[in-house]
Amino acid sequence: MAEVLVLVDHVGGKLRKSTAELLTLARRLGEPSAVHIGPGAETAQVTLAKYGAHKVYVVEDAAAEEYLVAPQAEILAALVERTSPAALLLTSTSVGKEIAARVAVKTGSGVITDAVDVNAVDGAVSTTQSVFAGSYTVTATVTQGTPIVALKPNSAPIAASPAAGVIERVEVAISEAAKSARIVASEPKKATGRPELTEAAIVVSGGRGTGGDFSPVEAFADSLGAAVGASRAAVDAGWYPHSNQVGQTGKQVSPQLYVACGISGAIQHRAGMQTSKTIVAVNKDEEAPIFELVDFGVVGDLFNVLPQATEAVKAAKG
Amino acid sequence: MNIVVCVKYVPDAQSDRTFNAEDNTTDRANVDGLLSEIDEYAVEEALRLAEAHEGEVTVLTVGPERAADALKKALQMGADKGVHVCDDAIHGSDAAATSLVLAGAITKATGGSPELVLMGMSSTDGVMGVVPAMVAERLGVPQVTFASELTIEGGRVRARRDGDTASDTIEASLPALVSVTDQINEPRYPSFKGIMAAKKKPVETWSVADLGIDPAQVGLAAAWTKVTAFAKRPPRQAGTIITDEGDGGRKLAEFLSAGKFL
Ligand SMILES: Cc1cc2nc3c(=O)[nH]c(=O)nc-3n(C[C@H](O)[C@H](O)[C@H](O)COP(=O)(O)OP(=O)(O)OC[C@H]3O[C@@H](n4cnc5c(N)ncnc54)[C@H](O)[C@@H]3O)c2cc1C
Ligand SMILES: Nc1ncnc2c1ncn2[C@@H]1O[C@H](COP(=O)(O)O)[C@@H](O)[C@H]1O
């Protein structure tokens, strides 16, 4: 069976959830091989094997950590040349998409980003995307080179399927040209104890309607074990960090449940949340466009509705 | 410092965007279009840098005749001149072909030695956010993308990039390609004077062959990906909307409980 390369998404060896999703999806296309760039492969190996990685290619080169995107693209292009895989799968984050883009140009391959599904159809790799702020569903295929597909986090439920996960160390000579945009400082995001926005099963977001007080939003999120998001209006006002912004120029999320609180539902906000499975809104304006999307909506003041809902959730959970 | 800003003409997000049924490409003919909003931030940043470093700003678009509107808006904001790559052969190009044309046009516009290329982090229609990385790859210049802060000093670029897990500071030397986010500045509105002045600003129109690119390398037939089908999403089933009468929070919790979210 043909090999399918999966780029491991990790922070210092700690796997992000999307990696297991990619391995699960890769099994539909062939035999997954994980590509682990950077330190920590020995720790990651167990999980990679659990989700179906037959091989784990490990490339440890300091340049891949020190310089933006270009070295990782060179490593993957070299592995694509070497293994002629049936496909290369990556996570559709800004970095993942950029790596995919450069590998595509280097190897003369078609690239599809922001996919929410991937399948083998008549021997070809077929993808599903949601476009124009979620108003259309598009299926597409790659017609040249190695199909390179970047999949959004939360695209598939993960399922274990143990495989050998044999580590194979690979050396790739990284060119001087790729060592040009240097990461001179990196400030890790502050830990909040909450799940990561793009990985979370539930997201509760606050907007201008919070008036700057996110405490009812956070308390409700915590009762549900959810991540906290924000509209750009809330971010621009300095009420919440930009890294929590949901929308066209923020994060694209597709959780099982999205709760918009004091958010009107502008097209740019929708672009980041419209693929959520279930959508709930709390807004005091019954005309707010967000209500066009909801499965359940409460017309009311979030400062009354959220605390009551938080108590009720806590009580129901016992 | 000479700056090239790549700007895209996109269908208005507020209008009903759709596809051409014949070839599954984005319908750009039947909907109103405009300069992609995120590219306004790139134009604004270029104008500020040109003011600070005594430079000239060239705006570049690849697109159909109507894409000239995107250039016009950028010229009204204050850019000095425009380049429009307009060629029937381009219709249906994917990101790879678009990046090929952009790289060719940047090379031609700068006599082969670009200093600074600015772009938006992503376009508001495709929202792929991959064209900047592809153009950097093709030009062989450093890629400094998703900049939410930018300084250029002594031939060096320094930018802040907010990622999923960290906020990074990126450094590179010129020439470089920088893409910007909407956090970077507040784009200006064209002034009356700017609108009048734009009418006299030069705009060159180039074909793909003018760039030394074989037209067979671009367009729908040459695309490396193919849309096989598109479907309008069925309208969401109308949801339940209640008005809070003192028990809205409890009803919300009941809905979540019924949906097994607790
Ligand atoms: C280039 C560009 C990119 C953008 N990218 C994004 C993006 O990524 N993400 C994004 O979110 N936006 C983005 N925007 C901005 C977007 O257009 C909207 O301005 C923004 O989403 C509005 O945020 P909001 O809904 O919080 O505020 P508003 O539109 O002001 O809505 C606030 C809502 O809160 C309600 N409200 C007020 N008080 C209460 C209360 N006590 N209880 C309940 N409800 C209350 C009001 O009825 C109202 O509906 C972008 C814009 C541009 C131009
Ligand atoms: N046809 C085009 N003409 C000019 N610039 C473009 C074009 N397509 C993309 N760009 C530039 O690339 C950026 C990212 O686009 P995209 O990768 O399509 O999301 C845009 O913000 C523009 O700066």
Side-chain angles (χ1 to χ4, degrees):
Chain A
M1 214 198 274
E3 229 175 320
V4 179
L5 297 182
V6 169
L7 178 63
V8 176
D9 195 356
H10 70 101
V11 184
K14 200 173 167 288
L15 292 183
R16 299 183 74 201
K17 193 176 125 210
S18 58
T19 305
E21 295 167 5
L22 293 181
L23 288 168
T24 304
L25 286 167
R27 302 200 305 257
R28 296 179 183 168
L29 310 175
E31 218 168 70
S33 291
V35 181
H36 187 105
I37 301 177
E42 292 72 18
T43 329
Q45 184 189 18
V46 182
T47 314
L48 297 174
K50 177 177 167 191
Y51 290 102
H54 287 248
K55 285 187 197 163
V56 180
Y57 294 111
V58 178
V59 187
E60 279 193 60
D61 189 313
E65 307 269 298
E66 198 180 332
Y67 297 91
L68 194 65
V69 177
Q72 305 209 32
E74 282 195 354
I75 292 167
L76 284 171
L79 280 168
V80 166
E81 301 281 310
R82 206 167 119 164
T83 62
S84 310
L88 164 62
L89 306 187
L90 310 89
T91 314
S92 204
T93 55
S94 54
V95 174
K97 288 199 276 188
E98 291 189 322
I99 295 171
R102 296 189 72 133
V103 179
V105 170
K106 281 179 194 296
T107 61
S109 300
V111 59
I112 291 171
T113 64
D114 302 292
V116 293
D117 202 7
V118 62
N119 280 292
V121 177
D122 302 333
V125 173
S126 174
T127 64
T128 307
Q129 292 158 291
S130 175
V131 304
F132 296 156
S135 56
Y136 277 86
T137 302
V138 165
T139 54
T141 55
V142 166
T143 52
Q144 168 145 337
T146 301
I148 301 177
V149 182
L151 285 133
K152 284 192 177 192
N154 275 341
S155 290
I158 58 176
S161 170
V166 182
I167 287 191
E168 194 175 317
R169 292 187 184 275
V170 183
E171 301 264 344
V172 176
I174 293 171
S175 72
E176 283 311 304
K179 299 178 193 166
S180 60
R182 199 156 83 88
I183 304 168
V184 294
S186 186
E187 198 184 310
K189 243 171 61 183
K190 278 199 209 81
T192 58
R194 298 193 180 97
E196 221 261 293
L197 196 52
T198 54
E199 295 177 355
I202 305 180
V203 175
V204 180
S205 291
R208 202 193 311 270
T210 62
D213 179 3
F214 261 67
S215 53
V217 172
E218 289 185 332
F220 188 50
D222 290 342
S223 75
L224 294 166
V228 175
S231 73
R232 184 173 134 181
V235 170
D236 282 354
W239 301 339
Y240 229 70
H242 177 242
S243 51
N244 294 66
Q245 181 177 314
V246 172
Q248 184 176 75
T249 51
K251 299 277 154 61
Q252 268 90 54
V253 302
S254 41
Q256 296 299 320
L257 170 67
Y258 187 84
V259 186
C261 310
I263 291 176
S264 62
I267 186 92
Q268 295 91 348
H269 188 78
R270 291 179 179 207
M273 46 67 72
Q274 200 151 13
T275 52
S276 307
K277 313 290 176 301
T278 298
I279 298 175
V280 167
V282 180
N283 193 305
K284 65 181 185 188
D285 174 12
E286 62 177 349
E287 306 271 296
I290 191 79
F291 285 124
E292 292 163 17
L293 304 183
V294 298
D295 298 285
F296 190 81
V298 182
V299 180
D301 190 325
L302 69 91
F303 290 96
N304 299 330
V305 176
L306 293 184
Q308 189 182 69
T310 307
E311 287 317 309
V313 167
K314 282 190 191 157
K317 281 188 165 178
Chain B
M1 186 168 46
N2 292 322
I3 307 171
V4 179
V5 191
C6 301
V7 297
K8 187 173 181 185
Y9 177 78
V10 297
D12 188 350
Q14 307 293 346
S15 65
D16 275 338
R17 293 173 291 180
T18 181
F19 290 89
N20 293 318
E22 318 87 72
D23 61 2
N24 295 357
T25 57
T26 305
D27 180 356
R28 295 180 202 278
N30 296 313
V31 282
D32 285 339
L34 40 69
L35 167 61
S36 178
E37 269 172 318
I38 303 170
D39 293 346
E40 288 184 23
Y41 295 83
V43 173
E44 176 65 35
E45 200 59 22
L47 296 174
R48 291 184 191 192
L49 287 168
E51 282 154 19
H53 299 267
E54 287 185 26
E56 194 184 50
V57 177
T58 304
V59 284
L60 163 65
T61 196
V62 173
E65 259 161 52
R66 301 173 77 190
D69 284 355
L71 291 181
K72 190 163 117 192
K73 172 87 185 275
L75 293 171
Q76 290 174 344
M77 287 174 71
D80 299 293
K81 54 187 194 190
V83 170
H84 185 176
V85 183
C86 183
D87 194 321
D88 288 342
I90 296 168
H91 174 79
S93 290
D94 59 2
T98 302
S99 71
L100 180 71
V101 176
L102 283 170
I106 292 163
T107 303
K108 181 170 159 79
T110 56
S113 46
E115 282 184 270
L116 179 64
V117 180
L118 283 175
M119 301 200 182
M121 60 179 262
S122 66
S123 52
T124 54
D125 59 341
V127 217
M128 285 184 77
V130 298
V131 168
M134 285 179 161
V135 174
E137 170 76 32
R138 291 190 188 277
L139 292 174
V141 299
Q143 169 196 335
V144 184
T145 42
F146 292 84
S148 53
E149 278 172 22
L150 179 67
T151 47
I152 294 185
E153 241 173 51
R156 290 195 68 75
V157 181
R158 193 182 168 89
R160 199 188 76 205
R161 171 180 172 122
D162 296 321
D164 275 3
T165 53
S167 180
D168 294 336
T169 306
I170 314 290
E171 273 190 14
S173 50
L174 291 176
L177 180 143
V178 177
S179 81
V180 305
T181 75
D182 60 343
Q183 298 278 303
I184 199 159
N185 58 40
E186 205 42 69
R188 68 193 68 182
Y189 289 102
S191 64
F192 179 70
K193 219 175 105 204
I195 292 170
M196 297 313 289
K199 295 187 172 143
K200 295 193 209 73
K201 289 179 178 170
V203 175
E204 289 195 45
T205 305
W206 295 340
S207 68
V208 170
D210 288 340
L211 308 176
I213 295 171
D214 177 359
Q217 281 185 277
V218 300
L220 192 59
W224 295 351
T225 57
K226 183 169 173 243
V227 171
T228 45
F230 65 89
K232 202 167 167 60
R233 236 184 134 161
R236 277 187 171 265
Q237 290 237 303
T240 309
I241 296 174
I242 60 158
T243 301
D244 180 29
E245 279 158 356
D247 58 353
R250 274 190 298 275
K251 290 206 167 131
L252 171 53
E254 279 162 23
F255 171 81
L256 298 180
S257 177
K260 307 217 174 357
F261 291 111
L262 306 191

